[in-house]
Amino acid sequence: MHKIKEELENKNILLGVTGGIAAYKALEVVSRLKKLGAEVDVIMTEAAKEFVQPLSFRSLSHNPVIVDMFSEPKQWNVKHISLAEKADICLVAPATANIVGKIANGIADDMLSTTVMATNAPVLLAPAMNCNMYSNPIFQQNLDRLRGLGYYLIKPDAGYLACGTEGKGRLPAPSRIVENVVEQLTKEKDLTGQQVMITAGGTQEPIDPVRFIGNHSSGKMGYAIAREAVKRGAEVTLITASTSLQPPSGIEIIQVETAQQMYESVMKLQVEQDVIIKAAAVADYRPQVVAEDKIKKDESELVIKLERNPDILAELGRVKEEKLLIGFAAESEDLIANAKDKLSRKNLDLIVANDITADDAGFGADTNRVVMISRTDKTELPTLSKEEVANRLLGRIIELLEGTGEKNGD
Ligand SMILES: Cc1cc2nc3c(=O)[nH]c(=O)nc-3n(C[C@H](O)[C@H](O)[C@H](O)COP(=O)(O)O)c2cc1C
């Protein structure tokens, strides 16, 4: 508690309160942040004022509460810019479906949405709403977009909702929201100065101009690692095969299609990397001949002869020198034995193994359940969000970089 207090002292927290039934809980958030020594500025939307009086926030924050963008300024500065610049972190709690939609789509039509657009501080959103609103695909797409752009999201709780239904959409307890703020503010930039290359997505091997051999990889795990690595200060290069994901911001992105193209990009850039994480699903084989025209069907069987693609991971293992090399093993049987075999055959420092037959792990899922295996130890993680798996993996990588874990080939 004492350490947290020290860390929050003199931090400027900008709290946006929007028009949700849980707006009253934001009062306790302010009170807790103030007790921890933070300076809190509150912006309320017009709708939020229908739920809680600005006076309550003013009393708890000891600062004027801002609602109107065009009111007469008390001092000569443009308020949405000065608040945006002053903030060490911007928290929106509760965040309505409306504000999430506005931020995701670049709409800045009131004090809060304009300030969020103008800030360079990390933005933490705590969505809260009726469960049907929460599961609405448009809202979910907006969340995905924001996640991809580096916004932080606090997951809502499931349970009894004020509208009388049960489901996902409750604003988490103020203590949990404050924990998230503290975590963001104290997050170490422990990968600063490290060049990290990540591969993601599933390669596509053309058969003819309209068909290809592909796989079910969604790219979510690799993209999550890229996002988390950049937040921790790394210089990230993402070499990505096909996905439907929003490319994370703040990183160099190289788009490829085939395994051969991925091989060429990886080998060209590998020399300057400190860490290489191969999370892409790369086709082992490709059609030996790619038909120039679309193959027409007839009554006979169609035989497509396949030839080997380069083994990118094995090639990296051969040339890796001092850099850290991390692979993924997506297995459907003998998970640990197969992963250990791949670790030593390909000269890896760490392998992340997951059972792709499990419901809560592998392709397409938002969660993953993995085992991290190095030469000397094995860490089994519970089912976690892909972001959290990414963070645990990066934590382990930092141990290896610092030499607090063994490094293969030393
Ligand atoms: C009683 C009541 C409760 C509401 N609760 C929520 C809510 O929990 N979450 C939400 O997204 N919208 C909720 N709304 C709808 C928002 O108030 C509405 O979309 C509003 O335009 C949001 O504006 P703002 O995002 O600018 O605050 C509620 C509306 C009413 C009348």
Side-chain angles (χ1 to χ4, degrees):
M1 175 71 182
H2 187 64
K3 184 151 191 298
I4 291 177
K5 197 153 191 251
E6 259 172 37
E7 281 161 343
L8 279 204
E9 240 146 53
N10 306 320
K11 292 284 187 210
N12 294 307
I13 298 170
L14 179 61
L15 172 66
V17 182
T18 61
I21 197 78
Y24 72 96
K25 291 191 190 172
L27 291 169
E28 191 182 332
V29 172
V30 177
S31 160
R32 283 176 177 266
L33 290 170
K34 288 296 287 182
K35 273 190 201 139
L36 292 173
E39 167 81 4
V40 183
D41 285 295
V42 179
I43 299 179
M44 295 178 81
T45 61
E46 285 294 344
K49 279 194 333 189
E50 299 290 329
F51 293 85
V52 186
Q53 286 292 321
L55 181 62
S56 305
F57 284 105
R58 194 174 88 197
S59 310
L60 290 168
S61 69
H62 310 160
N63 270 324
V65 171
I66 297 121
V67 181
D68 184 3
M69 197 155 56
F70 298 105
S71 60
E72 200 57 29
K74 300 240 171 0
Q75 65 263 61
W76 185 239
N77 57 14
V78 182
K79 208 65 188 170
H80 68 272
I81 302 294
S82 61
L83 284 178
E85 282 174 356
K86 178 183 168 194
D88 292 302
I89 191 164
C90 175
L91 165 71
V92 184
T96 53
N98 181 53
I99 191 76
V100 168
K102 288 206 288 193
I103 300 172
N105 291 286
I107 295 170
D109 65 351
D110 64 5
M111 190 66 187
L112 180 59
S113 50
T114 308
T115 309
V116 169
M117 189 169 274
T119 191
N120 283 327
V123 178
L124 192 56
L125 302 167
M129 65 205 64
N130 159 275
C131 53
N132 292 337
M133 288 171 82
Y134 187 76
S135 58
N136 182 304
I138 299 176
F139 177 73
Q140 285 298 322
Q141 273 178 19
N142 286 335
L143 281 189
D144 282 347
R145 180 135 210 257
L146 291 175
R147 211 178 275 121
L149 290 168
Y151 288 77
Y152 298 89
L153 302 171
I154 305 176
K155 279 215 172 96
D157 287 342
Y160 180 76
L161 301 173
C163 51
T165 51
E166 292 248 351
K168 203 167 182 184
R170 267 166 72 95
L171 188 73
S175 57
R176 230 188 85 209
I177 295 174
V178 171
E179 267 168 33
N180 274 269
V181 172
V182 173
E183 194 190 306
Q184 286 308 325
L185 284 172
T186 56
K187 201 175 234 180
E188 276 185 61
K189 296 269 182 198
D190 46 12
L191 281 171
T192 302
Q194 300 290 341
Q195 306 263 2
V196 178
M197 180 201 278
I198 297 153
T199 68
T203 59
Q204 297 183 342
E205 307 298 326
I207 298 171
D208 67 15
V210 292
R211 303 180 180 94
F212 59 82
I213 299 173
N215 59 65
H216 289 300
S217 172
S218 64
K220 286 181 180 172
M221 192 64 242
Y223 275 53
I225 299 168
R227 277 198 302 273
E228 296 307 310
V230 84
K231 285 177 197 167
R232 294 169 84 139
E235 280 182 41
V236 178
T237 305
L238 177 67
I239 301 184
T240 176
S242 166
T243 75
S244 56
L245 302 173
Q246 177 84 22
S249 51
I251 66 179
E252 187 186 353
I253 297 186
I254 296 165
Q255 186 75 48
V256 298
E257 201 173 292
T258 64
Q260 180 64 33
Q261 289 167 359
M262 184 169 275
Y263 171 78
E264 284 163 17
S265 295
V266 167
M267 296 317 287
K268 192 167 136 202
L269 297 173
Q270 58 87 19
V271 188
E272 55 209 54
Q273 306 302 322
D274 301 300
V275 179
I276 301 180
I277 306 170
K278 289 276 297 111
V282 181
D284 292 328
Y285 294 91
R286 65 180 171 223
Q288 198 173 48
V289 177
V290 180
E292 265 184 40
D293 298 309
K294 185 179 171 193
I295 299 171
K296 297 265 182 272
K297 65 171 174 291
D298 59 26
E299 294 314 310
S300 59
E301 281 179 358
L302 174 67
V303 177
I304 297 172
K305 196 164 178 197
L306 302 178
E307 64 183 5
R308 275 302 311 258
N309 267 324
D311 185 334
I312 307 175
L313 201 50
E315 190 54 30
L316 285 170
R318 265 193 290 278
V319 299
K320 84 182 199 68
E321 296 178 344
E322 287 305 301
K323 60 179 76 68
L324 278 183
L325 183 56
I326 292 95
F328 272 72
E331 303 286 347
S332 55
E333 55 183 348
D334 295 335
L335 179 68
I336 304 296
N338 282 330
K340 278 186 173 164
D341 176 55
K342 191 168 174 182
L343 177 84
S344 67
R345 260 188 308 113
K346 305 210 173 179
N347 194 24
L348 310 181
D349 297 293
L350 194 68
I351 192 153
V352 184
N354 67 323
D355 179 352
I356 49 170
T357 60
D359 289 344
D360 53 359
F363 297 137
D366 289 325
T367 53
N368 210 351
R369 186 151 42 88
V370 304
V371 186
M372 295 190 287
I373 304 168
S374 72
R375 284 275 162 152
T376 55
D377 61 40
K378 187 171 96 179
T379 315
E380 212 160 315
L381 298 180
T383 302
L384 296 168
S385 69
K386 287 189 169 168
E387 267 73 25
E388 192 46 36
V389 172
N391 263 317
R392 303 281 186 102
L393 171 61
L394 293 170
R396 184 74 184 94
I397 287 171
I398 285 155
E399 281 177 11
L400 292 169
L401 285 169
E402 288 170 349
T404 49
E406 88 302 340
K407 189 171 164 186
N408 186 17
D410 283 354

